[in-house]
Amino acid sequence: MTQELCTLVTGASSGLGRETAIRLSRLGPVLLHGRDQPRLEETRALCTHPERHRLWLHDLVDVDTIEASLLQTLAGQGLQVARFVHCAGVLQVGPLRLLDRAAIGRTMNVNFLSAVEITRLLVRKKVNEKALTGVVFVSSTASQFGAKGFGIYCASKSALDGYMRALAVELAPAVRVNAVLPGAVRTAMTEHMFNDPDVVERMRRDYPLGVGEQADIASAVEFLLSDQARWITGQQLVVDGGRTVNISG
C-alpha cells in the first residue's frame, strides 16, 4: 500500500493546535491528534479539504501507550509523517506546596515526555521510512522567565526547548527542529487569565504590540516548516508582541 505523507499536529482539538492544523491543512493531509473525537471532527470540518485529513485519538498523559497507539494509527491509515508540530499542552498553576505528584506528572507527560516519545518513533526507519523533515515544538516564553505558581509549567517548557536544541544537532541535516515561544495568546487554556482585570491591565503595559492572536503563532509554525526557513534549525522563535524585550529594557 502506498504511504501518504502528512503533518502530525498534537492538541488539534482546540486552541493553538486547532488554529495550526487549519492553517497547515492548506498544504496537504494533516493527522489531527486529540482526546475528544467530536472536537477533532469540528477541527477537521474547518480544515481545507476535510476529507483528506485523519484523526489520532490518544490521551498524552499516558505516555506508556503512545507507541502502540501511534503505530496502529499510521499503519492502519497508510500514513508517514513528514512534519510534526507539538501543540498539546496543559497549564497547571499553583504554589509548589499545593502541587501533588499526579499534577506534576500530568504536566511533564503532556508538555514534554509525549513529544520525546513521538519523535523517538518518527525517526525510526521501520516506522516512518525517513519521511520526517521538520519538527516544531510550541513552547512558551515561560521557559525563559520565572513566575509565581508556574514552576512545573516553566520546567516542562524549558525541558522541551533543551530537547529541541539537542535534536537539531542530532537529526541534521535530514530534519530541522525548532521551537515557537508564544507570549500571551487568548486560548481556552488561558481564558481564565483574561477574566482577571489586573492581569489584563498588566498585559497592556507589558506587550508593546498588544496581546497576540492564535493566528500569529500558527503563522510562525508554518514559516519554520517551510522552505523559506531551510537554513534555520535549533532556534527558539519568540512570538510575543515585544514583551520579552520590554521586560529586558
Side-chain angles (χ1 to χ4, degrees):
M1 181 173 62
T2 302
Q3 302 289 298
E4 185 175 34
L5 294 176
C6 72
T7 300
L8 167 58
V9 179
T10 62
S13 58
S14 65
L16 295 177
R18 172 176 283 183
E19 185 73 25
T20 299
I22 292 170
R23 179 175 291 268
L24 296 180
S25 72
R26 301 176 304 179
L27 309 178
V30 179
L31 178 58
L32 305 166
H33 161 269
R35 297 177 298 165
D36 188 317
Q37 184 167 354
R39 290 167 67 191
L40 278 182
E41 292 288 5
E42 291 174 3
T43 301
R44 175 153 61 180
L46 294 169
C47 289
T48 303
H49 300 300
E51 71 283 352
R52 68 182 177 181
H53 310 299
R54 302 291 179 262
L55 308 184
W56 173 34
L57 290 167
H58 189 79
D59 189 343
L60 297 183
V61 171
D62 188 0
V63 293
D64 292 335
T65 59
I66 286 177
E67 177 173 352
S69 178
L70 182 54
L71 289 178
Q72 182 180 27
T73 299
L74 295 179
Q77 304 198 47
L79 297 173
Q80 291 178 340
V81 177
R83 294 164 295 276
F84 169 41
V85 185
H86 187 59
C87 292
V90 293
L91 176 60
Q92 184 76 33
V93 180
L96 185 61
R97 68 180 183 280
L98 297 181
L99 288 179
D100 57 49
R101 292 183 62 186
I104 294 170
R106 171 180 166 80
T107 299
M108 294 303 295
N109 284 357
V110 175
N111 293 3
F112 172 56
L113 292 175
S114 62
V116 175
E117 186 67 3
I118 293 169
T119 50
R120 184 181 71 83
L121 293 173
L122 295 182
V123 297
R124 286 189 194 169
K125 183 177 180 181
K126 290 184 178 181
V127 173
N128 206 39
E129 292 291 337
K130 296 185 178 181
L132 190 67
T133 60
V135 175
V136 176
F137 297 136
V138 177
S139 178
S140 170
T141 53
S143 72
Q144 309 297 299
F145 301 96
K148 291 181 180 179
F150 283 76
I152 302 305
Y153 181 76
C154 291
S156 69
K157 294 300 188 178
S158 295
L160 191 63
D161 289 348
Y163 180 61
M164 175 275 296
R165 288 190 291 269
L167 276 191
V169 175
E170 181 174 342
L171 301 183
V175 185
R176 294 188 301 104
V177 188
N178 292 286
V180 173
L181 279 60
V185 176
R186 196 163 194 154
T187 68
M189 189 171 71
T190 62
E191 184 64 31
H192 66 283
M193 298 168 59
F194 290 88
N195 294 329
D196 185 331
D198 292 336
V199 172
V200 172
E201 180 58 33
R202 186 166 63 250
M203 287 180 179
R204 289 191 182 127
R205 296 195 307 267
D206 291 346
Y207 287 80
L209 298 183
V211 175
E213 299 179 0
Q214 295 179 43
D216 298 320
I217 309 307
S219 296
V221 172
E222 182 180 23
F223 166 70
L224 287 174
L225 290 175
S226 74
D227 289 341
Q228 296 179 67
R230 58 169 294 276
W231 210 43
I232 299 174
T233 196
Q235 300 305 305
Q236 297 166 296
L237 177 56
V238 175
V239 185
D240 71 346
R243 177 178 182 268
T244 50
V245 72
N246 192 30
I247 290 175
S248 299

